[in-house]
Amino acid sequence: MFVINPKVALPALLSLALLGCSREGELTLGGIVATRSACPTVAIPAPTGDITLFNPESSRDASAIDVVASITNVQSTCNEAGEYIVTNVTFDVNAQRRNASGARNVVLPYFAVVIQGGNNVVSKSVSRVSLDFADGQYRASSTGAANGQVLRSAATLPQEIQRELTREREPGDVDAALDPMADPKVRAAVQRASFELLVGFQLTEEQLRYNATR
């Protein structure tokens, strides 16, 4: 059984210390202007970016390592034009095997999961990537692809929250030095509207433990 624990997800929550606003929709963070996008953050949860196959499968000795693969070069595009925000992701998978004798095909499963607010799984899909080792070759590579959809209304901050985050604050204002994110209502709204699209190898519990402890 293959599993992915949502708690492994890399947190994409915004921790904003706002000093003011340059233009509508732009937030000034310690003098740096940042524009909040409704597109989800794309990332690989740390324990799932690599996979190790053993032969025999039950062994964890270094001498039993059969194939090692990793996900690299993650690229994404985001279309915000419609009712749903659609993010497409591509990535490379690079692998190395211990024994170069004979041609060999290795198929590895990977997941794509959309997370809301750091811990709520909105959707998940599992696909597979095929790696072909030529006879005499230790290395092989392939490409994978995934996508995720987010309802635009769910990723959009309410107007009153946007106004609170982006309004100009003059040095003499009573609340000029106050962080809007200290307000639980503002913080909760930003968290609800924050999404991630996470991709990684679909690992077993044993494979997750191996990655976490090696």
Side-chain angles (χ1 to χ4, degrees), residues 14-20 27-32 165 177-182:
L14 301 178
S15 179
L16 307 179
L18 306 181
L19 299 181
L27 312 175
T28 303
L29 306 125
I32 301 174
L165 289 172
L178 297 180
D179 178 4
M181 288 295 288

Side-chain angles (χ1 to χ4, degrees), residues 59-210:
S59 175
R60 291 299 176 265
D61 293 337
S63 60
I65 293 177
D66 184 25
V67 176
V68 177
S70 60
I71 295 175
T72 64
N73 193 31
V74 177
Q75 305 287 333
S76 66
T77 60
C78 181
N79 185 346
E80 302 180 66
E83 178 185 4
Y84 285 88
I85 299 167
V86 180
T87 302
N88 294 300
V89 178
T90 60
F91 54 87
D92 296 333
V93 176
N94 297 324
Q96 184 174 350
R97 61 175 175 168
R98 179 182 59 184
N99 188 344
S101 298
R104 182 181 175 187
N105 174 257
V106 175
V107 178
L108 301 174
Y110 66 90
F111 68 86
V113 59
V114 175
I115 304 288
Q116 180 182 19
N119 56 19
N120 179 39
V121 177
V122 176
S123 65
K124 179 186 174 183
S125 63
V126 177
S127 304
R128 286 167 173 75
V129 60
S130 180
L131 293 151
D132 291 309
F133 292 91
D135 183 21
Q137 296 297 312
Y138 286 97
R139 299 179 183 276
S141 61
S142 187
T143 58
N147 65 75
Q149 296 187 8
V150 173
L151 191 63
R152 169 180 288 279
S153 59
T156 302
L157 289 171
Q159 286 296 323
E160 64 272 17
I161 301 298
Q162 293 189 44
R163 285 194 295 269
E164 179 64 20
L165 289 172
T166 61
R167 68 182 176 86
E168 292 188 9
R169 292 170 172 82
E170 299 297 335
D173 291 346
V174 175
D175 62 350
L178 297 180
D179 178 4
M181 288 295 288
D183 184 337
K185 178 182 176 181
V186 174
R187 187 166 61 251
V190 171
Q191 182 173 348
R192 283 194 303 271
S194 298
F195 289 82
E196 298 164 287
L197 174 55
L198 306 176
V199 295
F201 287 116
Q202 182 74 6
L203 305 176
T204 65
E205 291 283 3
E206 179 62 29
Q207 288 170 330
L208 280 169
R209 282 194 294 269
Y210 175 79

